[in-house]
Amino acid sequence: CDTIVTLTQGDALEWNEPHKTYIIPNIITQISTETSSCKYFNVIAIGRLTYQKGFDILIKVWKQVNLKYPNWKLNIYGEGELGNDLKRQIKEEGLGNVITIHPPTPNIYQEMQKSSIFVFSSRFEGFGLALIEAMTNGIPCVSFDCPYGPSDIITDGEDGFLIPNGNIQAMADKICYLIENEEERKEMGREAHQSAMRYAPENIMPMWEKLFNDIVKS
């Protein structure tokens, strides 16, 4: 082929074809004009209830968070094959009052705007569009630095935190840090909203135009 298009830097390196690789991320089609105040005692996660999304790990993370902040809640939105297993794990860990698994909702932006932190526990990803959706709603993200996507999207320490992949204690610590530091949480939420604009159509479509123009010229 003449050209390879990847979503992330990590994918581009996997192909090892720098002379023919273009990195063009996904577009976010819904830009939120309303953002969270980041004052809510709610943390949100979304995704399919599958092994890939790592919600079993997230439940273990939340057990650590709950020891320090039992008044904070974790809301997971999604459905999938591991739904019953995850609900059983929540019950066994004694977290039934603080973790709720909700069915998917068409109003997920409204739920994000009632949350103060977005957590992303995937073991691996193709991109991580949910991170950008959270950021456009003005909430900082705490994400495993899984292959691939989060490290392209999050600027660590500015609009969110990148956690070594699978490190339960490190993720719990950063969630607790944001809980403890409300003003920094709000500022990171504002930074997240601005950062998400990189993925607006008017910023991504010129990348595709350049790609096709370069192919024609070659």
Side-chain angles (χ1 to χ4, degrees):
C1 62
D2 296 316
T3 301
I4 299 169
V5 180
T6 70
L7 293 171
T8 66
Q9 296 278 352
D11 268 334
L13 292 173
E14 288 283 347
W15 284 98
N16 195 28
E17 295 280 359
H19 63 286
K20 63 168 64 175
T21 303
Y22 283 71
I23 301 167
I24 305 179
N26 281 333
I27 286 174
I28 185 169
T29 57
Q30 183 180 350
I31 305 294
S32 179
T33 56
E34 301 291 330
T35 58
S36 171
S37 67
C38 290
K39 291 183 177 180
Y40 303 97
F41 287 17
N42 294 322
V43 174
I44 189 170
I46 64 173
R48 301 184 313 279
L49 307 182
T50 61
Y51 174 82
Q52 175 194 347
K53 298 299 181 180
F55 291 126
D56 57 315
I57 303 174
L58 181 54
I59 292 167
K60 296 176 183 177
V61 168
W62 201 260
K63 186 172 184 178
Q64 300 299 317
V65 174
N66 185 65
L67 291 174
K68 295 182 70 174
Y69 300 102
N71 54 334
W72 278 68
K73 311 294 185 185
L74 172 62
N75 293 294
I76 300 172
Y77 287 84
E79 61 184 5
E81 62 198 42
L82 296 184
N84 290 334
D85 291 341
L86 294 171
K87 290 175 182 177
R88 187 180 306 112
Q89 182 184 356
I90 291 167
K91 183 177 180 180
E92 290 173 352
E93 297 287 3
L95 299 172
N97 292 329
V98 292
I99 302 179
T100 304
I101 297 179
H102 306 267
T105 172
N107 301 315
I108 194 63
Y109 273 28
Q110 293 178 18
E111 300 305 326
M112 288 180 173
Q113 290 162 19
K114 293 186 287 186
S115 305
S116 294
I117 302 167
F118 181 84
V119 65
F120 197 73
S121 56
S122 290
R123 290 177 164 93
F124 57 92
E125 278 291 339
F127 183 60
L129 189 61
L131 288 169
I132 304 170
E133 292 175 336
M135 291 165 73
T136 191
N137 284 284
I139 51 178
C141 299
V142 180
S143 172
F144 284 141
D145 188 11
C146 67
Y148 294 109
S151 62
D152 287 51
I153 296 168
I154 294 172
T155 302
D156 187 41
E158 294 185 15
D159 50 28
F161 289 114
L162 290 169
I163 310 301
N165 200 13
N167 191 319
I168 292 171
Q169 190 61 56
M171 177 170 274
D173 288 346
K174 288 303 184 183
I175 293 172
C176 289
Y177 178 85
L178 288 175
I179 289 173
E180 294 162 2
N181 295 276
E182 181 178 337
E183 290 306 314
E184 187 166 352
R185 186 171 75 235
K186 292 177 182 177
E187 178 58 28
M188 292 181 79
R190 288 188 287 267
E191 289 290 334
H193 179 70
Q194 290 300 316
S195 181
M197 297 305 104
R198 292 175 291 154
Y199 301 96
E202 60 267 26
N203 294 321
I204 301 299
M205 291 311 296
M207 297 182 184
W208 284 102
E209 292 175 358
K210 181 180 186 304
L211 165 65
F212 294 128
N213 286 334
D214 288 351
I215 291 174
V216 170
K217 288 177 185 177
S218 64

